[in-house]
Amino acid sequence: MVECLSKGKQICFCGRKHSTNIEELCIQKGCLEQLHLYVKKRKIKKILLLCRAEDAEKGHAVQKLLKNTGAVLQKLYIDTDEITSEIQYAGLMMMRTDMQTDLAVIVGSGEWINTSRYLCDRLGIPAALVLTGITEINFCASWIAVREEGIPHFHKIAEPAAVYADPQIASTINEEEAISAGLAFYGTWIALYEWRLSHLITEEYYCPYLEQEFLRMSETAAVQPFSDFITVMEMQASVSLLITYADDPALISGSYHLLKEFWSRKIPAFCWDERSKKESGIRCLALDAAYCLASRIGNMVGDRWKVFEEMNPEYRENKIRSLYGNQADFVLNLEKKTGKNSREKVFVRRRKTESCYREIQKIDYLLPAGDEIRAVKKQCFSLKRDGMLSEEEFYEGLLFAGDMVNRYNVLQFLYDMGRLDQAAVQMKTLCRKYQ
């Protein structure tokens, strides 16, 4: 699947050319040796090795591999405990990095990969990734989300020049990491549904070919558990390539992802496990909420909505400032700039919804089967956290999480229909299952 997608250069019947600029994408045992050949073949002169201090042992293994390539190697081991923001990390890189660097080799996993890719892109340095564990699902996509004060900012950046996922250098995947990877995958599946919903209502670009490729890949994921490194990396690489082909961050900005980001800011005790550094608890709740909301749309669109009542502007602004803190101005300015919740735009989308509600009802087939969702959520019950969010915090998440980005999704649909508040009230009890 990955090999097929990574080599696709064809003009699709949607009118776009789906292609990737990744030169090498290797996911197999022993593939790290290819990095040495990659550097020698391209006669790279200067390499920047980026690695976290806690991954120093793996960084030294990559450093040893790059010897005798003829390249000058600059090593930058970052103590992430001392880095409080992406801005601080950027400052360290700019002060210490040779601007004549030909290639940055990024060793690591998690958000470290995306943050390092983003900074290398801004410095104009091509990046090669050496994955040592589970990373973000869009680790090699052309769109990434960089969090600033908990708010996801989406950026279009260059794809990595090469990616190497070798189980010989990667850490063993534990149960919680496997569950987190599965939840993220199913969250992206729900985002695919929202991408089609957006196409029907806002006429956003949409490609049926990419939809079918994702669904074909999902059939494999449904029977093949996220239990080993190669399986997880292949699934995540496939999603990354689909995001690149679509040239749209829709598949990483659905309701699941927005709810996860929103609640992660408020309930760190529930979503952050110091041992494994994963967010299984908050991911499970976000998936549950997003799936429940999306699965109700097909039965809702045929109903007549109530008279639309805008939320009191003063109350809404005060609430956003209390929820988003330093990022409140960003959220308020985003809405002002796009006018997405203006009365005029809401009613335009409503009229469109009414004219195509039969097509909206039909896209329920895009949602994963309920049995699959229940199976992956069941694994999370053994991973409960203390400090679970309250019903009020759950309610606020459903009401305000959609404000973080200008994307059309289930939360925006319910807002347009005048049903978001009603749905949030009805679903407040959902979080009791996790307490």
Side-chain angles (χ1 to χ4, degrees):
M1 176 64 181
V2 172
E3 183 179 357
C4 177
L5 284 173
S6 64
K7 294 182 179 179
K9 302 286 183 182
Q10 73 278 13
I11 299 292
C12 181
F13 58 79
C14 73
R16 292 192 180 185
K17 181 180 181 181
H18 298 317
S19 63
T20 175
N21 293 320
I22 298 176
E23 297 173 350
E24 284 193 1
L25 177 54
C26 303
I27 305 175
Q28 61 187 34
K29 186 176 180 180
C31 70
L32 192 55
E33 296 292 336
Q34 297 295 320
L35 176 60
H36 181 94
L37 299 176
Y38 178 89
V39 171
K40 288 195 70 174
K41 182 179 179 180
R42 288 157 180 78
K43 299 179 180 179
I44 292 171
K45 301 299 182 184
K46 291 185 179 181
I47 297 176
L48 170 65
L49 177 63
L50 285 172
C51 184
R52 295 176 294 187
E54 54 261 41
D55 285 333
E57 183 179 346
K58 296 171 182 178
H60 293 321
V62 174
Q63 178 183 337
K64 183 178 180 181
L65 181 71
L66 292 172
K67 284 186 176 180
N68 303 320
T69 59
V72 176
L73 183 63
Q74 179 189 3
K75 303 176 288 292
L76 191 56
Y77 290 86
I78 303 294
D79 187 349
T80 48
D81 290 337
E82 297 179 1
I83 294 180
T84 58
S85 69
E86 290 86 354
I87 295 175
Q88 186 179 4
Y89 180 24
L92 287 172
M93 280 189 63
M94 293 181 70
M95 287 190 295
R96 301 181 189 178
T97 301
D98 184 345
M99 292 297 108
Q100 302 304 312
T101 298
D102 299 311
L103 180 71
V105 177
I106 305 171
V107 180
S109 60
E111 289 187 11
W112 164 264
I113 293 291
N114 277 0
T115 303
S116 300
R117 279 188 58 207
Y118 170 74
L119 295 176
C120 287
D121 179 76
R122 293 302 181 256
L123 293 173
I125 303 173
L129 311 182
V130 177
L131 306 180
T132 62
I134 302 299
T135 185
E136 297 296 302
I137 199 164
N138 60 323
F139 69 89
C140 62
S142 57
W143 282 91
I144 65 169
V146 177
R147 282 197 283 187
E148 299 175 21
E149 297 288 340
I151 305 294
H153 294 252
F154 292 93
H155 301 274
K156 176 74 177 290
I157 68 171
E159 299 154 71
V163 179
Y164 304 94
D166 189 341
Q168 291 181 320
I169 197 176
S171 302
T172 303
I173 297 178
N174 61 38
E175 180 189 14
E176 187 155 345
E177 289 175 320
I179 291 172
S180 291
L183 290 167
F185 179 79
Y186 281 105
T188 300
W189 195 340
I190 294 172
L192 179 75
Y193 170 95
E194 295 177 312
W195 192 28
R196 169 70 80 92
L197 181 69
S198 178
H199 169 68
L200 291 172
I201 296 175
T202 68
E203 300 182 352
E204 178 182 342
Y205 162 76
Y206 190 83
C207 178
Y209 164 74
L210 298 183
E211 171 194 301
Q212 293 305 314
E213 286 298 305
F214 186 93
L215 293 177
R216 184 162 63 89
M217 176 178 61
S218 302
E219 292 176 0
T220 303
V223 298
Q224 192 170 8
F226 292 82
S227 57
D228 68 273
F229 181 73
I230 290 180
T231 298
V232 173
M233 286 298 101
E234 286 183 342
M235 290 298 175
Q236 292 188 330
S238 297
V239 172
S240 289
L241 290 170
L242 289 171
I243 294 168
T244 298
Y245 284 177
D247 194 22
D248 192 321
L251 293 179
I252 51 170
S253 60
S255 295
Y256 159 78
H257 299 278
L258 290 177
L259 289 168
K260 177 180 74 70
E261 297 291 347
F262 183 91
W263 286 326
S264 293
R265 285 168 43 84
K266 298 184 67 61
I267 320 294
F270 177 69
C271 70
W272 192 252
D273 179 67
E274 288 301 326
R275 177 182 57 81
S276 62
K277 307 296 185 187
K278 289 296 171 184
E279 302 173 320
S280 291
I282 214 73
R283 288 176 186 267
C284 182
L285 181 60
L287 181 70
D288 211 351
Y291 182 79
C292 286
L293 290 172
S295 62
R296 295 179 180 183
I297 282 183
N299 296 325
M300 183 185 298
V301 290
D303 298 338
R304 284 289 175 183
W305 43 68
K306 66 179 183 180
V307 176
F308 179 71
E309 298 177 1
E310 291 180 292
M311 190 182 298
N312 182 287
E314 184 176 350
Y315 166 80
R316 189 171 182 280
E317 180 176 346
N318 291 338
K319 200 67 177 176
I320 286 178
R321 292 197 180 281
S322 68
L323 294 173
Y324 288 97
N326 294 334
Q327 283 288 320
D329 286 335
F330 164 78
V331 175
L332 293 168
N333 289 336
L334 173 67
E335 183 178 51
K336 182 178 179 181
K337 179 180 179 181
T338 60
K340 64 176 182 177
N341 287 333
S342 67
R343 184 176 293 271
E344 292 77 17
K345 288 194 175 182
V346 167
F347 277 102
V348 167
R349 292 195 295 263
R350 279 190 169 194
R351 286 193 294 271
K352 186 65 177 179
T353 299
E354 191 172 34
S355 67
C356 65
Y357 80 90
R358 292 191 183 279
E359 286 77 9
I360 294 174
Q361 289 178 313
K362 293 176 183 178
I363 65 172
D364 277 352
Y365 77 90
L366 285 177
L367 288 175
D371 290 342
E372 295 170 11
I373 293 291
R374 283 189 289 273
V376 72
K377 289 190 302 183
K378 186 177 180 181
Q379 300 176 67
C380 295
F381 290 134
S382 62
L383 303 170
K384 293 178 182 178
R385 299 283 172 267
D386 295 329
M388 175 58 188
L389 70 167
S390 67
E391 289 185 21
E392 187 61 28
E393 288 163 332
F394 180 84
Y395 172 78
E396 291 173 348
L398 292 177
L399 218 54
F400 294 102
D403 293 311
M404 294 203 295
V405 296
N406 181 33
R407 305 264 349 134
Y408 197 85
N409 49 46
V410 165
L411 296 173
Q412 187 66 54
F413 175 90
L414 291 170
Y415 179 87
D416 290 351
M417 298 284 285
R419 296 290 187 85
L420 183 57
D421 185 79
Q422 176 188 348
V425 170
Q426 292 175 345
M427 295 182 65
K428 279 168 62 174
T429 56
L430 185 64
C431 67
R432 294 177 186 170
K433 293 194 304 182
Y434 301 90
Q435 293 178 330

